[in-house]
């Protein structure tokens, strides 16, 4: 259902009769990024499961920068390193995996996705008279909530050394 929502949102945004214009310029890259993030996450989460390759492919959104060619490569990926190599073929995702690691001060892939998303959403405020600003505002509020939960959890667990590892919004 969510993958269909993304596809319909992209189609509606691109349609000049419905939204188009500046709204499309702002929203289409954000929606494509969201679709690609979901595809990459689905791929990584499917490792060491009993899911068949075709079942994994059916979970992917039918839009985004990786659609359709990149999704075919992701479907057949066997490990994180292969996912990284596939992502490097696409300009926007070339540096996505840099700084990602398992160490205590390393960022997770999810953190890197959130950082990139915040950058894109902040750009939504650079234009006037479009509907993308409302979407950007709501998504940035969601990130603000995640940041507050992160800080609260660090305090509750008496782990103040990691309190600054939240994703800054502006």
């Amino acid at each position: 259902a969510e993958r269909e929502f993304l596809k319909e949102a992209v189609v509606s945004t691109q349609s000049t009769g419905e939204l188009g214009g500046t709204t499309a310029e702002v929203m289409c890259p954000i929606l494509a990024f969201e679709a690609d993030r979901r595809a990459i996450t689905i791929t990584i989460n499917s490792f060491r499961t009993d899911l068949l390759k075709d079942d994994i492919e059916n979970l992917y959104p039918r839009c985004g920068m990786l659609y359709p060619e990149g999704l075919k490569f992701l479907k057949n990926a066997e490990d994180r390193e292969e996912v990284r190599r596939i992502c490097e073929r696409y300009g926007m995702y070339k540096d996505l995996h840099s700084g990602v690691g398992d160490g205590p001060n390393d960022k997770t892939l999810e953190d890197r996705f959130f950082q990139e998303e915040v950058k894109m959403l902040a750009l939504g405020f650079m234009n006037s008279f479009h509907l993308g600003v409302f979407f950007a505002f709501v998504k940035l509020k969601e990130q603000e909530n995640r940041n507050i939960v992160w800080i609260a959890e660090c305090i509750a667990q008496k782990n103040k050394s990691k309190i600054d590892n939240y994703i800054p919004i502006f």
Side-chain angles (χ1 to χ4, degrees):
E2 277 192 45
R3 75 183 183 124
E4 296 303 322
F5 163 76
L6 279 172
K7 178 69 174 158
E8 288 300 315
V10 169
V11 169
S12 296
T13 302
Q14 289 174 335
S15 170
T16 55
E18 292 185 39
L19 297 176
T22 306
T23 300
E25 289 174 24
V26 171
M27 290 291 297
C28 285
I30 294 170
L31 293 170
F33 178 79
E34 178 65 23
D36 293 343
R37 171 178 41 190
R38 290 177 187 205
I40 292 167
T41 303
I42 288 167
T43 301
I44 291 171
N45 289 340
S46 69
F47 296 149
R48 293 180 297 282
T49 66
D50 294 335
L51 283 173
L52 300 173
K53 299 294 183 186
D54 290 336
D55 293 338
I56 295 168
E57 186 177 30
N58 288 333
L59 295 173
Y60 292 151
R62 302 281 186 248
C63 56
M65 289 177 52
L66 298 176
Y67 179 76
E69 181 183 285
L71 296 182
K72 290 177 184 172
F73 291 126
L74 281 177
K75 172 180 89 166
N76 295 311
E78 297 294 330
D79 57 26
R80 284 178 173 262
E81 184 60 28
E82 195 170 348
V83 171
R84 184 188 61 75
R85 284 194 304 271
I86 293 166
C87 289
E88 286 177 350
R89 296 178 188 173
Y90 298 86
M92 181 176 189
Y93 307 117
K94 188 173 184 88
D95 297 325
L96 185 67
H97 292 270
S98 65
V100 172
D102 294 328
N105 293 326
D106 292 335
K107 294 281 186 190
T108 65
L109 185 58
E110 185 178 30
D111 290 338
R112 292 288 292 130
F113 275 127
F114 285 136
Q115 285 175 330
E116 291 302 314
E117 180 184 44
V118 165
K119 287 179 193 175
M120 294 175 74
L121 293 169
L123 291 175
F125 290 95
M126 299 300 172
N127 294 314
S128 303
F129 307 110
H130 65 91
L131 299 175
V133 72
F134 298 107
F135 183 80
F137 176 79
V138 170
K139 295 295 279 183
L140 288 171
K141 278 297 192 185
E142 288 176 2
Q143 182 59 50
E144 184 179 34
N145 288 339
R146 282 190 292 272
N147 288 344
I148 291 169
V149 168
W150 173 262
I151 292 168
E153 287 293 327
C154 286
I155 292 170
Q157 295 175 16
K158 297 180 182 9
N159 194 355
K160 294 184 181 178
S161 64
K162 293 188 176 192
I163 207 163
D164 292 327
N165 288 358
Y166 61 90
I167 309 296
I169 294 178
F170 288 109

